[in-house]
Amino acid sequence: QSKNKGRNTVERYSGRLSEALNEKLRLTAMLRRALEQKEYLLYYQPQQELATGKVECFEALLRWQPQSEAMIFPDKFIPILEETGMIVSVGEWVLREVCFQVTCWQTKGIAIQHASVNVSLRQFQRPDIVKELLSIVTESGVDPSIICLELTESIMMDNFRENLHKLQALRTAGFSVSIDDFGTGYSSLNYLRRMQIQELKIDRSFINALSEDTTLVNAILGMARGLGLRIVAEGVETEEQKSFLRAHNCEFMQGYLLSRPLPAEQFEAFILSLGAATTDNPQQLKKNV
Ligand code: C2E
Ligand code: MG
Ligand code: MG
Ligand code: MG
């Protein structure tokens, strides 16, 4: 394998392949130091409850800002973090950072009801994942029941039997679990019923296609209702999509129409401007940190 012969061999490949490999090697080397160099940051994308207009929920989305380069989006570096296993420590950082931020907002009287965090296959496969996640959340004094872990269908189906136990344990610990990008994978209705999950996120491709075809979204909404799941429409970009979703009793929406993912201070300003998420009782913390 050329990989073992090192960089020189890699560079002899011609054209695009070589360029792509070099770029990957370069990013990998940079990523190895990204955590200690504090180059990661989180953006927060608000979710709105359609019936009330309230915004008290977000999804945390990872960004990478290397010292001397433009900000890099997940699609470009998460696969590398996955391949190398670095996603495990980065994933822990993400959860710790979310808990820290939620705590800060709570002390300011901004009560976040639901904070979603993406979890990758490599993380979920860890035998002690539930303990690991719980200890991060407990240490930060956040109530696990506001933390929602987003998994994709392919992660769920990877090892169904073992996952059932993990999902049960997450539930016992107080977390909620969501299926991200729902509809793009291959989970059967029967599996869905047996899994301990609390939320479905309708993939944005179905929301995007609403003007041509409403059958799938209707079917997913009906099914989620039947199973008693919280439902979030992803990638909502137009008023038409929003009114359709509201008329069909979709509970929550997330998308550019409401807001792009925002840095923490801008997210805070956004929800304060809506005036919805503040509470008279700022000290909802289990303990002060
Ligand atoms: P996702 O979890 O499905 O996140 C939603 C993605 O859709 C985000 O892309 C978000 O910026 C984008 N989005 C939101 N609203 C709209 C819209 O109205 N229109 C369009 N076109 N896009 C919209 P982003 O932030 O680039 O993240 C991409 C993916 O990277 C995420 O997809 C998730 O799978 C992964 N990811 C992000 N952060 C993390 C993380 O902390 N850990 C792990 N394991 N994966 C992450
Ligand atoms: Mg997600
Ligand atoms: Mg998604
Ligand atoms: Mg995705």
Side-chain angles (χ1 to χ4, degrees):
Q1 285 287 306
S2 60
K3 218 179 174 183
N4 300 328
K5 291 185 206 158
R7 208 176 162 93
N8 291 337
T9 315
V10 173
E11 278 168 355
R12 242 178 279 133
Y13 280 64
S14 60
R16 285 217 189 129
L17 178 60
S18 162
E19 256 171 55
L21 282 172
N22 278 328
E23 174 67 356
K24 191 172 163 187
L25 288 174
R26 191 179 74 87
L27 294 178
T28 308
M30 285 162 63
L31 282 166
R32 294 206 182 281
R33 301 159 58 226
L35 205 51
E36 65 177 79
Q37 308 258 41
K38 304 193 192 313
E39 292 173 352
Y40 292 113
L41 61 162
L42 290 184
Y43 272 47
Y44 300 85
Q45 190 175 33
Q47 282 177 5
Q48 183 171 44
E49 189 177 22
L50 283 165
T52 61
K54 279 189 185 172
V55 178
E56 305 173 327
C57 312
F58 66 74
E59 176 177 8
L61 294 157
L62 185 59
R63 301 289 182 261
W64 176 29
Q65 174 66 78
Q67 248 95 70
S68 54
E69 280 178 52
M71 193 166 75
I72 304 180
F73 287 79
D75 291 346
K76 216 169 157 197
F77 66 90
I78 296 235
I80 302 179
L81 295 180
E82 283 256 357
E83 263 175 58
T84 54
M86 289 189 272
I87 191 68
V88 172
S89 48
V90 175
E92 288 173 353
W93 177 86
V94 168
L95 184 59
R96 206 170 288 121
E97 183 72 12
V98 163
C99 289
F100 169 75
Q101 196 56 71
V102 164
T103 306
C104 290
W105 282 327
Q106 280 175 337
T107 53
K108 290 182 176 179
I110 298 167
I112 298 297
Q113 301 297 335
H114 182 101
S116 291
V117 174
N118 292 285
V119 174
S120 74
L121 176 65
R122 193 75 179 251
Q123 287 175 278
F124 196 64
Q125 280 173 336
R126 291 171 70 79
D128 286 330
I129 182 67
V130 181
K131 254 193 236 164
E132 290 163 0
L133 297 177
L134 185 61
S135 83
I136 292 173
V137 174
T138 316
E139 264 169 42
S140 53
V142 166
D143 181 350
S145 69
I146 74 162
I147 304 291
C148 178
L149 305 166
E150 295 192 1
L151 305 166
T152 59
E153 286 169 274
S154 52
I155 298 178
M156 295 281 190
M157 297 305 141
D158 172 59
N159 186 346
F160 188 70
R161 272 177 164 280
E162 202 185 313
N163 288 351
L164 279 183
H165 292 291
K166 286 182 181 167
L167 293 170
Q168 180 62 58
L170 285 171
R171 192 73 204 127
T172 306
F175 292 106
S176 61
V177 173
S178 175
I179 303 191
D180 203 353
D181 307 337
F182 184 75
T184 59
Y186 47 88
S187 43
S188 77
L189 278 181
N190 185 41
Y191 277 174
L192 262 187
R193 194 178 48 76
R194 290 174 58 201
M195 284 186 304
Q196 295 273 335
I197 56 159
Q198 288 71 46
E199 179 188 279
L200 285 187
K201 296 188 83 171
I202 309 178
D203 188 69
R204 75 163 181 266
S205 57
F206 301 115
I207 305 302
N208 204 352
L210 266 180
S211 55
E212 296 103 56
D213 185 11
T214 57
T215 359
L216 265 164
V217 171
N218 270 325
I220 297 174
L221 287 171
M223 189 187 67
R225 210 167 295 129
L227 293 167
L229 302 175
R230 182 183 197 264
I231 181 122
V232 183
E234 293 195 275
V236 179
E237 294 183 354
T238 69
E239 287 293 348
E240 290 71 30
Q241 292 163 353
K242 182 180 177 178
S243 12
F244 177 90
L245 292 163
R246 194 171 30 211
H248 291 78
N249 300 315
C250 176
E251 280 180 281
F252 294 89
M253 68 154 219
Q254 180 182 338
Y256 294 170
L257 178 66
L258 176 66
S259 168
R260 290 185 176 254
L262 302 168
E265 316 82 74
Q266 285 178 39
F267 176 85
E268 184 178 326
F270 178 78
I271 51 175
L272 287 177
S273 75
L274 298 176
T278 48
T279 159
D280 294 332
N281 173 25
Q283 296 304 325
Q284 293 193 332
L285 301 173
K286 279 187 161 176
K287 63 174 191 217
N288 267 311
V289 281

